[in-house]
Amino acid sequence: MLKERVEARLEALGLNQFQAVEGTQLARHFIYDILAGRKKDVRAKNLQELARALRCSTSYLEGKSDEIGLPPKQSALSTAIKPLTTAGIIDAQSWRREGADATDVIEAPPLPQYAASRQMIFVYRGEPFQQIRDGMFVVAIDALDFVRNHGIIGPGSNVIVQRKRRMDDEDFTQTTIRKLTTSAADRALAKRIEAPADTKSGNDEGRIIAVPVLAMQPIV
C-alpha cells in the first residue's frame, strides 16, 4: 500500500522521487527505495517526514484512510527557532569591511524543510544570477550543515563563496554566488569548505560558506 500511495502523491504533485525529498531530512534514495520495493517498513519519524514531503497524512500513506488529509505538523523543537536575519551582502564587484556595512535587514521565519540546518539571509547586489535579481534576498543553508544533512556539494550546485583579504590592518570580505562546474578549480573549491581563510598571504582562494535555497523579493 505504501508504494502505491507514494506513487499517487508524486504524480499528483508533479514530482519525481528525488525532487520530493529535496530539502527534507530523508536520504536522497529514500523514496526510490520504496518504489523499488527495497523499503517496506518505515519508522514513525521518517513516515512523518515523508508525509510532509508528499503533503498528505501518515494515515493515507499507511492505507488507514482514503482521505489525503493534512501533513503532520513540525515538532515544537523545530518550530521554536529564532527568525532569520541578514548575514551579509552578495556582491561580486566589492570588497567589504567586515562588520562595517549597514545592510537592508529582513527578518523571516526559517524554512521548515531545513530545520535541522543553520539558515541565513543575504542581500543580493549586481547583475542577475538565474532567478535572483538586484535587491532580492537569498535564503541559504550553512555549507557544512548542507553536506551533513542534505547531500554533497558538487558540479551543478549553486553556492555562495566568500574570500577574505587583510588590507591596512583591517579584514575585508568579498561574497559571490556561482554555479559549480566540473573544472579542477571548482572541484578544489568544493573540498575547501572547512579550510581556514589565508588572509595574511593575500592568496585566499575562497571557500563555500553556504548553499542558496530560496530567493525572495524585498518586503515593502
Side-chain angles (χ1 to χ4, degrees):
M1 177 63 73
L2 178 62
K3 175 183 176 181
E4 287 76 20
R5 291 293 168 90
V6 169
E7 287 178 332
R9 292 305 296 153
L10 288 175
E11 182 177 357
L13 295 171
L15 300 172
N16 64 38
Q17 59 264 43
F18 302 115
Q19 291 170 330
V21 299
E22 207 170 296
T24 74
Q25 298 183 47
L26 298 174
R28 177 171 168 76
H29 287 272
F30 187 87
I31 291 179
Y32 179 86
D33 288 342
I34 292 175
L35 300 182
R38 290 195 287 268
K39 187 185 294 292
K40 297 180 180 179
D41 296 318
V42 178
R43 290 182 297 175
K45 179 181 178 180
N46 287 339
L47 185 65
Q48 290 188 352
E49 188 76 4
L50 178 62
R52 282 191 284 267
L54 296 178
R55 303 175 205 171
C56 62
S57 68
T58 55
S59 296
Y60 174 81
L61 291 178
E62 292 176 303
K64 296 178 180 179
S65 172
D66 291 329
E67 297 290 332
I68 293 174
L70 297 174
K73 293 182 179 180
Q74 294 280 355
S75 68
L77 180 63
S78 62
T79 55
I81 302 176
K82 293 181 180 179
L84 306 179
T85 55
T86 314
I89 299 175
I90 297 173
D91 184 356
Q93 303 301 316
S94 302
W95 285 88
R96 299 178 181 277
R97 193 162 34 132
E98 289 191 2
D101 281 310
T103 63
D104 298 324
V105 176
I106 177 176
E107 286 197 351
L111 302 176
Q113 63 268 44
Y114 296 101
S117 302
R118 179 178 172 239
Q119 303 175 38
M120 60 196 82
I121 293 178
F122 292 87
V123 180
Y124 184 79
R125 297 282 182 241
E127 295 297 317
F129 174 81
Q130 297 182 5
Q131 78 275 24
I132 308 173
R133 301 292 184 270
D134 184 71
M136 293 180 71
F137 296 100
V138 178
V139 180
I141 304 301
D142 175 81
L144 287 174
D145 278 1
F146 190 91
V147 172
R148 279 192 290 260
N149 300 323
H150 309 292
I152 63 172
I153 298 174
S157 300
N158 289 330
V159 294
I160 295 173
V161 178
Q162 190 172 84
R163 298 177 64 197
K164 290 181 178 288
R165 180 176 294 175
R166 190 157 185 82
M167 298 181 286
D168 298 326
D169 294 324
E170 291 189 280
D171 292 324
F172 289 78
T173 63
Q174 182 186 62
T175 306
T176 61
I177 188 169
R178 57 180 297 188
K179 184 173 184 176
L180 292 180
T181 68
T182 57
S183 70
D186 279 0
R187 289 199 300 271
L189 178 63
K191 294 179 179 179
R192 285 201 302 273
I193 294 176
E194 298 183 75
D198 183 7
T199 56
K200 292 183 179 180
S201 70
N203 294 323
D204 179 28
E205 297 180 28
R207 78 219 104 275
I208 298 169
I209 62 167
V211 176
V213 293
L214 179 68
M216 302 184 297
Q217 293 285 356
I219 298 175
V220 296

